[in-house]
Structures are given as structure tokens and as C-alpha cells.
Coordinates of all heavy atoms in Angstrom, one line a residue:
F1 N 0.8 -1.2 0.0 CA 0.0 0.0 0.0 C 0.9 1.2 0.0 O 1.9 1.2 0.6 CB -0.9 0.0 1.2 CG -2.0 -1.1 1.2 CD1 -1.7 -2.3 1.8 CD2 -3.1 -0.9 0.5 CE1 -2.6 -3.3 1.8 CE2 -4.1 -1.9 0.5 CZ -3.9 -3.1 1.1
F2 N 0.4 2.3 -0.6 CA 1.2 3.5 -0.8 C 0.7 4.6 0.2 O -0.4 4.4 0.8 CB 1.2 3.9 -2.2 CG 1.8 2.9 -3.1 CD1 1.0 2.1 -3.9 CD2 3.2 2.8 -3.1 CE1 1.6 1.1 -4.7 CE2 3.8 1.8 -3.9 CZ 3.0 1.0 -4.7
P3 N 1.4 5.7 0.3 CA 1.2 6.7 1.4 C -0.3 7.1 1.6 O -0.7 7.3 2.7 CB 2.1 7.8 1.0 CG 3.2 7.2 0.3 CD 2.6 6.0 -0.4
D4 N -1.1 7.3 0.6 CA -2.4 7.8 0.7 C -3.3 7.0 1.7 O -4.2 7.5 2.3 CB -3.2 7.8 -0.6 CG -2.6 8.9 -1.5 OD1 -1.8 9.8 -1.1 OD2 -3.0 8.9 -2.7
V5 N -3.0 5.7 1.8 CA -3.8 4.8 2.6 C -3.1 4.1 3.7 O -3.6 3.3 4.5 CB -4.6 3.7 1.8 CG1 -5.5 4.4 0.8 CG2 -3.6 2.8 1.1
M6 N -1.8 4.3 3.8 CA -1.0 3.6 4.8 C -1.5 3.8 6.3 O -1.5 2.8 7.0 CB 0.5 4.0 4.7 CG 1.1 3.4 3.5 SD 2.9 3.9 3.1 CE 3.5 4.4 4.7
V7 N -1.9 5.0 6.7 CA -2.3 5.2 8.0 C -3.6 4.3 8.3 O -3.7 3.6 9.3 CB -2.6 6.7 8.3 CG1 -3.3 6.8 9.6 CG2 -1.4 7.5 8.2
F8 N -4.5 4.3 7.4 CA -5.7 3.5 7.5 C -5.3 2.0 7.6 O -5.9 1.3 8.5 CB -6.7 3.7 6.4 CG -7.9 2.8 6.4 CD1 -8.9 3.1 7.3 CD2 -8.0 1.7 5.6 CE1 -10.0 2.3 7.4 CE2 -9.1 0.8 5.7 CZ -10.1 1.1 6.6
I9 N -4.4 1.5 6.8 CA -4.1 0.1 6.9 C -3.4 -0.2 8.2 O -3.7 -1.3 8.8 CB -3.1 -0.3 5.7 CG1 -3.8 0.0 4.3 CG2 -2.6 -1.7 5.8 CD1 -5.1 -0.8 4.1
Q10 N -2.6 0.7 8.7 CA -1.9 0.4 9.9 C -2.8 0.4 11.1 O -2.6 -0.3 12.1 CB -0.8 1.6 10.2 CG 0.3 1.5 9.3 CD 1.2 2.7 9.5 OE1 1.8 2.9 10.5 NE2 1.3 3.6 8.5
E11 N -3.9 1.2 11.0 CA -4.9 1.3 12.1 C -5.5 -0.1 12.4 O -5.9 -0.4 13.6 CB -6.0 2.3 11.8 CG -5.5 3.7 11.9 CD -6.6 4.7 11.5 OE1 -7.7 4.2 11.0 OE2 -6.4 5.9 11.6
G12 N -5.7 -0.9 11.4 CA -6.2 -2.2 11.6 C -5.2 -3.2 12.0 O -4.9 -4.1 11.2
E13 N -4.7 -3.1 13.2 CA -3.5 -3.9 13.6 C -3.8 -5.4 13.4 O -2.8 -6.1 13.1 CB -3.2 -3.6 15.1 CG -2.6 -2.3 15.4 CD -2.2 -2.2 16.9 OE1 -2.2 -3.2 17.6 OE2 -2.1 -1.0 17.2
K14 N -5.0 -5.8 13.6 CA -5.3 -7.2 13.4 C -6.4 -7.5 12.5 O -7.4 -8.1 12.9 CB -5.5 -7.9 14.8 CG -4.2 -8.0 15.6 CD -3.3 -9.0 15.0 CE -2.0 -9.2 15.7 NZ -1.1 -10.1 15.0
R15 N -6.3 -7.1 11.3 CA -7.4 -7.3 10.3 C -7.4 -8.8 10.1 O -8.5 -9.3 9.8 CB -7.1 -6.6 9.0 CG -7.2 -5.1 9.1 CD -7.0 -4.4 7.8 NE -6.8 -3.0 7.9 CZ -7.8 -2.1 8.2 NH1 -9.0 -2.6 8.4 NH2 -7.5 -0.9 8.3
H16 N -6.3 -9.5 10.1 CA -6.2 -10.9 9.9 C -5.1 -11.5 10.8 O -4.1 -10.9 11.0 CB -5.9 -11.2 8.5 CG -6.1 -12.6 8.1 ND1 -5.2 -13.6 8.3 CD2 -7.2 -13.2 7.6 CE1 -5.7 -14.7 7.9 NE2 -6.9 -14.5 7.4
K17 N -5.4 -12.6 11.4 CA -4.4 -13.2 12.4 C -3.1 -13.5 11.8 O -2.1 -13.6 12.5 CB -5.1 -14.4 13.0 CG -5.3 -15.6 12.1 CD -6.0 -16.7 12.7 CE -6.4 -17.8 11.7 NZ -7.0 -18.9 12.4
S18 N -3.0 -13.7 10.5 CA -1.6 -14.1 9.9 C -0.9 -12.9 9.3 O 0.1 -13.0 8.7 CB -1.8 -15.2 8.8 OG -2.4 -14.7 7.7
Q19 N -1.5 -11.7 9.4 CA -1.0 -10.5 8.7 C 0.4 -10.1 9.3 O 0.7 -10.3 10.5 CB -1.9 -9.3 8.8 CG -1.9 -8.6 10.2 CD -2.8 -7.4 10.2 OE1 -3.8 -7.3 9.5 NE2 -2.5 -6.4 11.0
K20 N 1.2 -9.6 8.4 CA 2.5 -9.1 8.7 C 2.7 -7.8 8.0 O 2.4 -7.7 6.8 CB 3.7 -10.0 8.3 CG 3.6 -11.4 8.8 CD 4.4 -11.5 10.1 CE 4.5 -13.0 10.5 NZ 3.6 -13.4 11.5
I21 N 3.1 -6.7 8.7 CA 3.2 -5.4 8.1 C 4.6 -4.9 8.3 O 5.2 -5.1 9.4 CB 2.3 -4.3 8.8 CG1 0.8 -4.7 8.5 CG2 2.6 -3.0 8.4 CD1 -0.2 -3.8 9.2
S22 N 5.2 -4.5 7.2 CA 6.6 -3.9 7.2 C 6.5 -2.7 6.3 O 5.7 -2.5 5.5 CB 7.6 -5.0 6.7 OG 7.3 -5.4 5.5
F23 N 7.6 -1.9 6.5 CA 7.6 -0.6 5.8 C 8.8 -0.6 4.8 O 9.8 -1.2 5.0 CB 7.8 0.6 6.8 CG 6.6 0.7 7.7 CD1 6.7 0.1 8.9 CD2 5.5 1.4 7.3 CE1 5.6 0.2 9.8 CE2 4.4 1.5 8.2 CZ 4.5 0.9 9.4
G24 N 8.5 0.1 3.7 CA 9.5 0.2 2.6 C 10.5 1.2 2.9 O 10.6 1.9 4.0
A25 N 11.4 1.5 1.9 CA 12.5 2.5 2.0 C 11.9 3.8 2.4 O 10.8 4.1 2.0 CB 13.2 2.5 0.7
K26 N 12.7 4.6 3.1 CA 12.2 5.9 3.5 C 12.4 7.0 2.4 O 13.4 6.9 1.6 CB 12.9 6.4 4.8 CG 12.4 5.5 5.9 CD 12.9 6.1 7.2 CE 12.3 5.2 8.3 NZ 12.6 5.7 9.6
T27 N 11.5 7.9 2.3 CA 11.6 9.0 1.3 C 12.6 10.1 1.9 O 12.9 10.0 3.1 CB 10.2 9.6 1.0 OG1 9.7 10.1 2.3 CG2 9.3 8.6 0.4
P28 N 13.0 11.1 1.2 CA 13.9 12.1 1.7 C 13.3 12.8 3.0 O 14.1 13.3 3.9 CB 14.0 13.1 0.6 CG 13.8 12.3 -0.6 CD 12.8 11.3 -0.3
D29 N 12.0 12.8 3.1 CA 11.4 13.4 4.4 C 11.3 12.5 5.5 O 10.7 12.8 6.6 CB 10.0 14.1 4.1 CG 9.0 13.1 3.7 OD1 9.3 11.9 3.6 OD2 7.8 13.5 3.4
G30 N 11.8 11.3 5.4 CA 11.9 10.3 6.5 C 10.7 9.4 6.6 O 10.6 8.6 7.5
K31 N 9.7 9.5 5.7 CA 8.5 8.7 5.8 C 8.7 7.5 4.9 O 9.3 7.5 3.9 CB 7.3 9.5 5.4 CG 7.0 10.7 6.3 CD 5.8 11.4 5.8 CE 5.5 12.6 6.8 NZ 4.4 13.4 6.3
P32 N 8.1 6.3 5.2 CA 8.1 5.2 4.4 C 7.4 5.4 3.1 O 6.4 6.1 3.0 CB 7.4 4.1 5.2 CG 6.8 4.7 6.4 CD 7.3 6.1 6.5
S33 N 8.0 4.9 2.0 CA 7.4 5.1 0.7 C 6.3 4.1 0.4 O 5.5 4.3 -0.5 CB 8.5 4.9 -0.4 OG 9.2 3.6 -0.3
Y34 N 6.2 3.0 1.2 CA 5.1 2.1 1.0 C 5.0 1.2 2.3 O 5.9 1.2 3.1 CB 5.3 1.2 -0.2 CG 6.5 0.3 -0.2 CD1 6.4 -1.0 0.4 CD2 7.7 0.8 -0.8 CE1 7.5 -1.8 0.4 CE2 8.8 -0.1 -0.7 CZ 8.7 -1.3 -0.2 OH 9.8 -2.1 -0.1
L35 N 3.9 0.5 2.4 CA 3.7 -0.4 3.5 C 3.5 -1.8 2.8 O 2.7 -1.9 1.9 CB 2.5 0.0 4.3 CG 2.0 -0.9 5.4 CD1 1.4 0.0 6.5 CD2 1.0 -1.9 4.9
D36 N 4.2 -2.8 3.3 CA 4.1 -4.1 2.8 C 3.1 -4.9 3.7 O 3.4 -5.0 4.9 CB 5.4 -4.8 2.7 CG 5.4 -6.1 1.9 OD1 4.5 -6.4 1.2 OD2 6.4 -6.8 2.1
Y37 N 2.0 -5.3 3.2 CA 1.0 -6.1 3.9 C 0.9 -7.5 3.4 O 0.6 -7.8 2.3 CB -0.4 -5.4 3.8 CG -1.5 -6.0 4.6 CD1 -1.8 -5.5 5.8 CD2 -2.3 -7.0 4.0 CE1 -2.8 -6.0 6.6 CE2 -3.4 -7.5 4.8 CZ -3.6 -7.0 6.1 OH -4.6 -7.5 6.8
R38 N 1.4 -8.4 4.3 CA 1.4 -9.9 3.9 C 0.5 -10.7 4.7 O 0.4 -10.4 6.0 CB 2.9 -10.4 4.0 CG 3.8 -9.7 3.2 CD 5.2 -10.3 3.4 NE 6.2 -9.5 2.7 CZ 7.5 -9.8 2.7 NH1 7.9 -10.9 3.2 NH2 8.3 -9.0 2.0
L39 N -0.1 -11.6 4.1 CA -0.9 -12.6 4.9 C -1.1 -13.9 4.1 O -0.9 -13.9 2.9 CB -2.2 -12.0 5.3 CG -3.3 -11.8 4.3 CD1 -4.7 -11.8 5.0 CD2 -3.1 -10.6 3.5
K40 N -1.4 -14.9 4.8 CA -1.7 -16.2 4.1 C -3.2 -16.4 4.2 O -3.8 -16.3 5.2 CB -1.0 -17.3 4.9 CG 0.5 -17.3 4.7 CD 1.2 -18.5 5.3 CE 2.7 -18.4 5.1 NZ 3.3 -19.6 5.1
L41 N -3.7 -16.7 3.0 CA -5.1 -17.0 2.8 C -5.3 -18.3 2.0 O -4.5 -18.6 1.1 CB -5.8 -15.8 2.1 CG -5.8 -14.5 2.7 CD1 -6.3 -13.4 1.7 CD2 -6.7 -14.5 3.9
P42 N -6.4 -19.0 2.3 CA -6.8 -20.1 1.5 C -7.2 -19.5 0.1 O -7.8 -18.4 0.0 CB -7.9 -20.8 2.2 CG -8.4 -19.7 3.1 CD -7.3 -18.8 3.4
S43 N -7.1 -20.3 -0.9 CA -7.5 -19.9 -2.3 C -9.0 -19.4 -2.3 O -9.3 -18.5 -3.0 CB -7.4 -21.1 -3.2 OG -6.1 -21.4 -3.4
R44 N -9.8 -20.0 -1.5 CA -11.3 -19.6 -1.5 C -11.5 -18.2 -1.1 O -12.5 -17.6 -1.3 CB -12.1 -20.6 -0.7 CG -11.9 -20.5 0.8 CD -12.7 -21.5 1.6 NE -12.5 -21.3 3.0 CZ -11.6 -21.9 3.7 NH1 -10.7 -22.7 3.1 NH2 -11.5 -21.7 5.0
S45 N -10.5 -17.6 -0.4 CA -10.6 -16.2 0.2 C -10.0 -15.2 -0.7 O -10.1 -14.0 -0.4 CB -10.0 -16.2 1.6 OG -10.6 -17.0 2.4
L46 N -9.4 -15.5 -1.8 CA -8.7 -14.5 -2.6 C -9.6 -13.5 -3.3 O -9.3 -12.4 -3.4 CB -7.8 -15.3 -3.6 CG -6.6 -16.1 -3.1 CD1 -5.9 -16.8 -4.2 CD2 -5.7 -15.2 -2.2
T47 N -10.8 -14.0 -3.7 CA -11.7 -13.0 -4.4 C -12.2 -12.0 -3.4 O -12.2 -10.8 -3.7 CB -12.9 -13.8 -5.0 OG1 -12.3 -14.7 -6.0 CG2 -13.9 -12.9 -5.6
E48 N -12.6 -12.4 -2.2 CA -13.0 -11.5 -1.2 C -11.9 -10.5 -0.8 O -12.1 -9.3 -0.7 CB -13.5 -12.2 0.0 CG -14.0 -11.4 1.2 CD -14.4 -12.1 2.4 OE1 -14.5 -13.4 2.3 OE2 -14.7 -11.5 3.4
F49 N -10.7 -11.0 -0.6 CA -9.5 -10.1 -0.3 C -9.3 -9.2 -1.4 O -9.1 -8.0 -1.2 CB -8.3 -11.0 0.0 CG -7.1 -10.2 0.4 CD1 -7.1 -9.5 1.5 CD2 -6.0 -10.1 -0.5 CE1 -5.9 -8.7 1.8 CE2 -4.9 -9.3 -0.2 CZ -4.9 -8.6 1.0
S50 N -9.4 -9.6 -2.7 CA -9.2 -8.7 -3.8 C -10.2 -7.6 -3.8 O -9.8 -6.4 -4.0 CB -9.3 -9.5 -5.1 OG -8.3 -10.4 -5.3
R51 N -11.4 -7.9 -3.5 CA -12.4 -6.8 -3.4 C -12.1 -5.8 -2.4 O -12.3 -4.6 -2.5 CB -13.8 -7.4 -3.2 CG -14.3 -8.2 -4.4 CD -15.7 -8.6 -4.1 NE -16.2 -9.4 -5.3 CZ -16.7 -10.6 -5.2 NH1 -17.0 -11.2 -4.0 NH2 -17.1 -11.3 -6.3
W52 N -11.6 -6.2 -1.2 CA -11.2 -5.3 -0.2 C -10.0 -4.4 -0.7 O -10.1 -3.2 -0.5 CB -10.8 -6.1 1.1 CG -10.3 -5.2 2.2 CD1 -11.1 -4.4 3.0 CD2 -8.9 -5.0 2.6 NE1 -10.3 -3.7 3.9 CE2 -9.0 -4.0 3.7 CE3 -7.7 -5.5 2.2 CZ2 -7.8 -3.6 4.3 CZ3 -6.6 -5.1 2.9 CH2 -6.7 -4.2 3.9
V53 N -9.0 -5.0 -1.3 CA -7.9 -4.2 -1.8 C -8.3 -3.3 -2.9 O -7.8 -2.2 -3.0 CB -6.8 -5.2 -2.3 CG1 -5.6 -4.4 -3.0 CG2 -6.2 -6.0 -1.1
Y54 N -9.3 -3.6 -3.7 CA -9.8 -2.8 -4.8 C -10.3 -1.4 -4.3 O -10.3 -0.5 -5.0 CB -10.8 -3.4 -5.7 CG -10.3 -4.6 -6.5 CD1 -11.2 -5.4 -7.2 CD2 -9.0 -4.9 -6.7 CE1 -10.8 -6.5 -7.9 CE2 -8.6 -5.9 -7.4 CZ -9.5 -6.7 -8.1 OH -9.0 -7.8 -8.8
R55 N -10.7 -1.4 -3.0 CA -11.2 -0.1 -2.5 C -10.0 0.9 -2.5 O -10.3 2.1 -2.4 CB -11.6 -0.4 -1.0 CG -12.8 -1.2 -0.9 CD -13.1 -1.5 0.6 NE -13.1 -0.3 1.4 CZ -13.0 -0.3 2.7 NH1 -12.8 -1.4 3.4 NH2 -13.1 0.9 3.4
F56 N -8.8 0.5 -2.6 CA -7.6 1.3 -2.5 C -6.9 1.3 -3.9 O -5.7 1.6 -3.9 CB -6.7 0.9 -1.4 CG -7.4 0.6 -0.1 CD1 -7.6 -0.7 0.3 CD2 -7.9 1.6 0.6 CE1 -8.3 -1.0 1.5 CE2 -8.5 1.4 1.8 CZ -8.7 0.1 2.3
M57 N -7.7 1.0 -4.9 CA -7.1 0.8 -6.3 C -5.8 1.5 -6.6 O -4.8 0.8 -6.9 CB -8.2 1.1 -7.3 CG -7.8 0.9 -8.7 SD -7.5 -0.9 -9.1 CE -9.2 -1.5 -9.2
G58 N -5.8 2.8 -6.6 CA -4.6 3.5 -7.1 C -3.5 3.5 -6.0 O -2.4 3.9 -6.2
S59 N -3.8 3.1 -4.8 CA -2.8 3.1 -3.7 C -2.4 1.7 -3.2 O -1.9 1.5 -2.1 CB -3.4 3.9 -2.5 OG -3.6 5.3 -2.9
A60 N -2.7 0.8 -4.1 CA -2.3 -0.6 -3.7 C -1.8 -1.3 -4.9 O -2.1 -1.0 -6.0 CB -3.6 -1.4 -3.3
Q61 N -0.9 -2.3 -4.6 CA -0.3 -3.1 -5.7 C -0.1 -4.5 -5.2 O 0.5 -4.7 -4.1 CB 1.1 -2.5 -6.1 CG 1.8 -3.3 -7.2 CD 3.1 -2.7 -7.5 OE1 3.5 -1.6 -7.0 NE2 3.8 -3.3 -8.5
F62 N -0.6 -5.5 -5.9 CA -0.3 -6.9 -5.6 C 1.0 -7.3 -6.1 O 1.4 -6.9 -7.2 CB -1.4 -7.8 -6.2 CG -2.7 -7.8 -5.5 CD1 -3.8 -7.1 -6.0 CD2 -2.8 -8.6 -4.4 CE1 -5.0 -7.2 -5.4 CE2 -4.1 -8.6 -3.7 CZ -5.2 -7.9 -4.2
L63 N 1.8 -8.0 -5.3 CA 3.1 -8.5 -5.7 C 3.0 -10.0 -6.0 O 3.7 -10.6 -6.8 CB 4.2 -8.2 -4.7 CG 4.4 -6.7 -4.5 CD1 5.4 -6.5 -3.4 CD2 4.7 -6.0 -5.7
T64 N 2.2 -10.7 -5.2 CA 1.9 -12.1 -5.3 C 0.5 -12.4 -4.8 O 0.0 -11.6 -4.0 CB 3.0 -13.0 -4.5 OG1 2.9 -12.7 -3.1 CG2 4.4 -12.8 -5.0
P65 N -0.1 -13.5 -5.1 CA 0.3 -14.5 -6.1 C 0.0 -13.9 -7.5 O -0.7 -12.9 -7.6 CB -0.6 -15.7 -5.8 CG -1.8 -15.1 -5.1 CD -1.3 -13.9 -4.4
K66 N 0.5 -14.5 -8.4 CA 0.5 -14.0 -9.8 C -1.0 -13.8 -10.3 O -1.2 -12.8 -11.0 CB 1.2 -15.0 -10.8 CG 1.3 -14.4 -12.2 CD 2.1 -15.4 -13.1 CE 2.2 -14.7 -14.5 NZ 3.1 -15.5 -15.3
E67 N -1.9 -14.7 -9.9 CA -3.3 -14.5 -10.3 C -3.9 -13.2 -9.8 O -4.7 -12.6 -10.4 CB -4.1 -15.7 -9.9 CG -4.4 -15.8 -8.4 CD -5.3 -17.0 -8.1 OE1 -4.7 -18.1 -7.9 OE2 -6.5 -16.9 -8.0
L68 N -3.5 -12.8 -8.5 CA -4.0 -11.5 -8.0 C -3.4 -10.3 -8.7 O -4.0 -9.3 -8.9 CB -3.9 -11.5 -6.5 CG -4.8 -12.4 -5.7 CD1 -4.6 -12.1 -4.2 CD2 -6.2 -12.3 -6.1
V69 N -2.1 -10.5 -9.0 CA -1.4 -9.4 -9.8 C -2.1 -9.2 -11.1 O -2.5 -8.0 -11.4 CB 0.1 -9.8 -10.0 CG1 0.7 -8.8 -11.0 CG2 0.8 -9.9 -8.7
E70 N -2.5 -10.2 -11.8 CA -3.2 -10.1 -13.1 C -4.6 -9.6 -12.9 O -5.0 -8.7 -13.7 CB -3.2 -11.4 -13.8 CG -1.8 -11.8 -14.3 CD -1.1 -10.8 -15.2 OE1 -1.8 -10.2 -16.1 OE2 0.1 -10.5 -15.1
K71 N -5.3 -10.1 -11.9 CA -6.7 -9.5 -11.7 C -6.7 -8.1 -11.4 O -7.5 -7.3 -11.8 CB -7.3 -10.3 -10.5 CG -7.8 -11.7 -10.9 CD -8.5 -12.3 -9.7 CE -9.0 -13.7 -10.1 NZ -9.8 -14.3 -9.0
H72 N -5.7 -7.6 -10.5 CA -5.7 -6.2 -10.1 C -5.3 -5.4 -11.3 O -5.9 -4.3 -11.5 CB -4.7 -6.0 -9.0 CG -4.7 -4.7 -8.4 ND1 -5.8 -4.3 -7.6 CD2 -3.8 -3.7 -8.3 CE1 -5.5 -3.1 -7.1 NE2 -4.4 -2.7 -7.6
K73 N -4.4 -5.8 -12.1 CA -4.0 -5.1 -13.3 C -5.2 -5.0 -14.3 O -5.5 -3.9 -14.8 CB -2.8 -5.9 -14.0 CG -2.4 -5.2 -15.3 CD -1.2 -6.0 -15.9 CE -0.8 -5.5 -17.3 NZ 0.2 -6.4 -17.8
Q74 N -5.9 -6.1 -14.5 CA -7.1 -6.1 -15.4 C -8.2 -5.1 -14.8 O -8.7 -4.3 -15.6 CB -7.7 -7.5 -15.5 CG -8.9 -7.6 -16.5 CD -8.5 -7.2 -17.9 OE1 -7.4 -7.6 -18.3 NE2 -9.4 -6.6 -18.5
A75 N -8.4 -5.1 -13.5 CA -9.4 -4.2 -12.9 C -9.0 -2.7 -13.1 O -9.8 -1.9 -13.5 CB -9.6 -4.5 -11.4
A76 N -7.7 -2.4 -13.0 CA -7.3 -1.1 -13.2 C -7.4 -0.7 -14.7 O -7.8 0.4 -15.0 CB -5.8 -1.0 -12.8
Q77 N -7.1 -1.6 -15.6 CA -7.3 -1.3 -17.0 C -8.7 -1.0 -17.4 O -9.1 -0.2 -18.2 CB -6.7 -2.4 -17.9 CG -5.2 -2.4 -17.8 CD -4.6 -3.7 -18.5 OE1 -5.2 -4.7 -18.6 NE2 -3.3 -3.6 -18.8
E78 N -9.6 -1.8 -16.8 CA -11.0 -1.7 -17.1 C -11.6 -0.3 -16.5 O -12.4 0.3 -17.2 CB -11.8 -2.8 -16.5 CG -11.6 -4.1 -17.2 CD -12.2 -5.3 -16.5 OE1 -12.9 -5.2 -15.5 OE2 -12.0 -6.5 -17.0
L79 N -11.1 0.1 -15.4 CA -11.5 1.3 -14.8 C -11.0 2.5 -15.6 O -11.7 3.4 -16.0 CB -10.9 1.5 -13.4 CG -11.2 2.7 -12.6 CD1 -12.7 2.9 -12.4 CD2 -10.5 2.8 -11.3
L80 N -9.8 2.4 -16.1 CA -9.2 3.4 -17.0 C -10.0 3.5 -18.3 O -10.3 4.6 -18.8 CB -7.7 3.1 -17.3 CG -7.0 4.1 -18.2 CD1 -7.0 5.5 -17.6 CD2 -5.6 3.6 -18.5
A81 N -10.3 2.4 -18.8 CA -11.1 2.3 -20.1 C -12.4 3.1 -20.0 O -12.9 3.6 -21.0 CB -11.2 0.9 -20.6
R82 N -13.0 3.0 -18.9 CA -14.3 3.8 -18.7 C -14.2 5.2 -18.9 O -15.1 5.9 -19.2 CB -14.9 3.5 -17.3 CG -15.4 2.1 -17.2 CD -16.2 1.9 -15.9 NE -16.4 0.5 -15.7 CZ -16.1 -0.2 -14.7 NH1 -15.6 0.4 -13.6 NH2 -16.3 -1.5 -14.6
Y83 N -13.0 5.8 -18.6 CA -12.8 7.2 -18.6 C -12.1 7.7 -19.9 O -11.9 8.9 -20.1 CB -12.0 7.7 -17.4 CG -12.9 7.5 -16.1 CD1 -12.8 6.4 -15.4 CD2 -13.8 8.5 -15.8 CE1 -13.5 6.2 -14.2 CE2 -14.5 8.4 -14.6 CZ -14.4 7.2 -13.9 OH -15.2 7.0 -12.8
L84 N -11.8 6.8 -20.8 CA -11.1 7.2 -22.1 C -12.1 7.4 -23.2 O -13.2 7.0 -23.2 CB -10.1 6.1 -22.5 CG -8.9 5.9 -21.6 CD1 -8.1 4.8 -22.1 CD2 -8.1 7.2 -21.4

């Protein structure tokens, strides 16, 4: 997650019992450039989790698993296409 939503993401200390939060490299002003939110989910939960992340569309990026990376990319492209 990127700076626009990092505070909100951090506030939910225990959104999921397996979550791990870490911070990316610091910007020149000393603030983290991103927040890395990791958790383990069963395959059946990936669609629901994706919908939650989509709320933060421009301030979130999936890194793994590959299927969520592709779904998020496709959703972003479809959103952009509506405005072109």
C-alpha cells in the first residue's frame, strides 16, 4: 500500500491473524514510501480479499500471487477504459 492509505491500513492492527506489516524504504522526508501487507489466505478467500484491496485501487499493488497481480492489473485497465 502507498502513502495515501498507509495510516488506515496500519490502524487495523489485526485485520487478519496471519498478517505481517513492514515498511519500505524511506523518502527524503523520512517517511516510508510504502507499506508491505502480507498474509496467508486459502484460495477460496482470494476473491473477497481482492475486493477489499480494490477499495484502494490506485494506492495498492499486488506482488503475489500471480493470479491476483493479473486480476488487479485487469481491474485497473477496465477502470481506466471507462474514462477514455
Side-chain angles (χ1 to χ4, degrees):
F1 292 94
F2 297 104
D4 291 349
V5 297
M6 285 174 25
V7 171
F8 176 76
I9 300 301
Q10 291 174 65
E11 287 174 354
E13 287 182 19
K14 287 295 179 183
R15 293 184 193 283
H16 193 275
K17 63 184 177 181
S18 73
Q19 77 179 29
K20 303 268 189 264
I21 293 177
S22 57
F23 297 94
K26 293 190 177 188
T27 61
D29 64 0
K31 296 179 182 178
S33 55
Y34 64 89
L35 177 149
D36 190 15
Y37 184 88
R38 296 179 190 187
L39 74 157
K40 291 188 179 203
L41 293 172
S43 295
R44 69 180 184 275
S45 298
L46 295 179
T47 298
E48 181 181 352
F49 180 68
S50 293
R51 288 185 185 130
W52 178 73
V53 174
Y54 290 170
R55 295 175 50 200
F56 313 106
M57 182 61 74
S59 295
Q61 179 180 358
F62 281 102
L63 301 177
T64 62
K66 187 175 181 174
E67 70 180 84
L68 289 186
V69 172
E70 290 303 316
K71 282 183 179 183
H72 192 68
K73 180 180 174 183
Q74 181 65 36
Q77 290 171 336
E78 289 171 5
L79 181 60
L80 178 62
R82 285 189 192 127
Y83 292 95
L84 295 178

